[in-house]
Amino acid sequence: MRLSRYFLPVLKENPSEAQIVSHRYMLRAGMIKQQAAGIYSWLPLGFKVLKRIEQIVHEEQIRAGHIPLLMPTLQPADLWRESGRYDDYGEEMLRITDRHKRDMLYGPTNEEMITDIFRSHVSSYKDLPLTLYHIQWKFRDEIRPRFGVMRGREFLMKDGYNFDLDYESAIHAYNRHMVSYLRTYERMGLQAIPMRAASGPIGGDNTHEFLVLASTGESEVFYDAAITDLKFGDRVVNYDDRAECEAIVKEWTAPYARTDETHDEAIFAQIPEERRRSSRGIEVGQIFYFGTKYSEPMGATVVTAGGNRVPVHMGSHGIGVSRLLGAIIEASHDDKGIIWPEGVTPFHAGIVNLKQGDSSTDLACEALYRDLSARGLEPLYDDRDERAGAKFATMDLIGLPWRITVGPRGIAAGKVELTNRRTGESEEMSSGAAVDRLAQIYAGI
């Protein structure tokens, strides 16, 4: 993409309404525009990152054997009356009456609807286990939406639902989700710690939240510092192997890590003092096992091998896709702007032409643009007739992880400058070597 043809409405000044770093930088980098309290339009740069995150979530869900579908944003209230949650959910639910006087709602979550889909089409234990998921917009009418996409009213979320014959099978689904989430977050350059949490209005006894440590987090968390040394890495997992998934879950849940709702000071005190930590955390996902909470009242049953009809065991598993943009920025930025991890960056590299209109630099930039594109990379070429300082400031603000700077002096010596946004380190090399280096970096992403 050429910046002269792109829609990137960057702001030079910090917006007065932005209280935290991620909100400030998302507005300044032209990623979002507020349309109403807690409701945003996603502008091209923000939308590209959103789609990168969504794609990683899809890939890891499918890798774990989960099946995508798509449910609507509007739901009939009668399904929620069946489960008993319609009157219990509270004022966060946006209730709507259509022209036929039927009660509807803008879905805050989808347990009832997915249970209705399941009971309409599945009746035998032979069709289990089954895990269905979708990525869809949700709405919760927060009383005080704030912090940009971190605490908005409309948000994009992946929510998945498992259906299993018994408790043991459902716990395997729970473990499978935890493993897939650990892979998902690491691919985004995040360390998201699974912490024992409270279930809230979803219900159920087993639940973990995934939290990214950040001073602006809404949750107080307590943990053993040993958990921050764990890395999932490139290990290959057989998601059908119950023992393997359980072992990974035990590895990640053995160190103490809890939100303030479930914190136990007596257990925490048993950790060596030098490893005890308290901090703030941003929730970016949560997994639940809730047994037959929805299947019993809604009649989601299957016939067993013995001919008995039993309610299925269920769980739900969510990732805040739009919320993750804010969390990544909170965890990865400096005083100049965003620093995107390679896995989610909107463009793989920026090309800065220091002397637009100079034939040698123009030709070199065009060749870089063409060669990077031919290697499957997507560069952002700043071809504007702007001074170098403004171009560098824009690149720093929008946070592309790599920048190639092209100037007359370097071209005369057969060199361009490759700069790492995170470290600030620069290296001079030939254009071909810069392209090869970036292709190698992104080959493993």
Side-chain angles (χ1 to χ4, degrees), residues 147-165:
F147 304 153
V149 300
M150 297 281 288
R151 194 71 178 267
R153 292 193 293 166
E154 185 184 53
F155 54 95
L156 188 63
M157 181 176 171
K158 171 262 159 181
D159 45 322
Y161 304 90
N162 66 282
F163 301 88
D164 290 277
L165 185 61

Side-chain angles (χ1 to χ4, degrees), residues 262-413:
T262 60
H263 177 54
D264 188 316
E265 192 60 44
I267 299 175
F268 191 57
Q270 297 173 18
I271 301 168
E273 186 175 0
E274 68 274 12
R275 298 208 318 256
R276 281 181 234 152
R277 299 284 190 277
S278 63
S279 182
R280 308 295 297 180
I282 300 168
E283 182 196 342
V284 291
Q286 190 164 4
I287 57 177
F288 304 85
Y289 162 72
F290 42 67
T292 60
K293 174 181 172 66
Y294 298 93
S295 57
E296 280 199 72
M298 296 186 69
T301 62
V302 294
V303 176
T304 67
N308 299 316
R309 184 168 287 279
V310 297
V312 292
H313 287 247
M314 293 176 59
S316 71
H317 321 275
I319 286 181
V321 176
S322 54
R323 184 183 180 87
L324 272 165
L325 275 83
I328 291 170
I329 295 170
E330 292 293 331
S332 185
H333 68 272
D334 60 17
D335 58 0
K336 296 178 181 178
I338 302 164
I339 305 174
W340 291 117
E342 279 88 350
V344 298
T345 181
F347 296 95
H348 296 107
I351 302 172
V352 172
N353 189 338
L354 292 182
K355 194 171 183 181
Q356 194 71 37
D358 178 85
S359 59
S360 63
T361 59
D362 288 356
L363 285 171
C365 288
E366 291 292 343
L368 274 168
Y369 187 87
R370 182 181 63 248
D371 293 346
L372 287 167
S373 300
R375 302 290 284 271
L377 301 177
E378 194 174 1
L380 179 64
Y381 173 23
D382 192 343
D383 59 343
R384 300 172 301 163
D385 186 16
E386 287 276 0
R387 54 189 179 79
K391 291 187 175 187
F392 289 144
T394 297
M395 285 295 174
D396 285 341
L397 174 61
I398 66 176
L400 306 187
W402 295 93
R403 185 186 77 224
I404 303 175
T405 305
V406 182
R409 185 178 302 174
I411 291 302

